[in-house]
């Protein structure tokens, strides 16, 4: 019975093995406490970016791949409208958004 479980796992993941050439791109967006946006792809060092360039920069990352996640790290003191800006970009372009919150001290 121990031999069957690895096979079961493979059977559940036909898409990922078929599309192994398609790597997920993670666009990491950070907003610091002063409202500056930083964008980095996967493990690359995030670059500070002007808010009005944010969408085109993200879409440039997206254009290289089909499975794109935006991982949003926002300082907990940041205005919610800054976060909404990123949400809007994600929604408009059908991107998956993962919000990675820094644990609040409350």
């Amino acid at each position: 019975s121990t031999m069957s479980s690895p096979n079961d796992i493979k059977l559940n993941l036909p898409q990922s093995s078929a599309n192994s050439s398609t790597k997920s791109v993670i666009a990491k967006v950070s907003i610091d406490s002063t409202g500056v946006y930083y964008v980095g792809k996967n493990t690359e060092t995030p670059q500070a970016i002007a808010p009005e360039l944010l969408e085109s920069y993200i879409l440039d990352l997206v254009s290289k791949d089909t499975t794109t996640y935006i991982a949003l790290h926002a300082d907990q003191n940041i205005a919610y409208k800054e976060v909404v800006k990123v949400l809007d970009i994600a929604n408009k372009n059908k991107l998956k958004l993962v919000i990675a919150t820094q644990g609040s001290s409350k």
Side-chain angles (χ1 to χ4, degrees):
S1 67
T2 51
M3 293 303 294
S4 69
S5 47
N7 297 335
D8 293 342
I9 293 166
K10 284 198 195 91
L11 289 175
N12 292 335
L13 301 169
Q15 294 91 352
S16 55
S17 52
N19 300 337
S20 54
S21 61
T22 312
K23 291 198 181 72
S24 294
V25 171
I26 301 171
K28 289 195 284 202
V29 180
S30 309
I31 312 171
D32 73 9
S33 56
T34 61
V36 178
Y37 289 87
Y38 294 85
V39 183
K41 178 179 167 182
N42 296 347
T43 56
E44 292 168 15
T45 307
Q47 306 292 315
I49 197 147
E52 62 272 16
L53 298 177
L54 184 66
E55 182 169 12
S56 58
Y57 190 90
I58 289 172
L59 292 183
D60 186 55
L61 296 181
V62 172
S63 68
K64 299 173 175 61
D65 197 67
T66 53
T67 316
T68 304
Y69 291 82
I70 299 176
L72 176 62
H73 297 259
D75 186 279
Q76 59 195 21
N77 300 314
I78 206 69
Y80 189 65
K81 66 173 171 21
E82 306 294 339
V83 174
V84 169
K85 187 180 296 183
V86 181
L87 288 171
D88 284 345
I89 292 171
N91 288 336
K92 191 163 74 174
N93 298 289
K94 307 276 194 290
L95 301 173
K96 301 179 183 77
L97 183 77
V98 180
I99 297 183
T101 50
Q102 277 83 20
S104 96
S105 49
K106 292 198 202 91

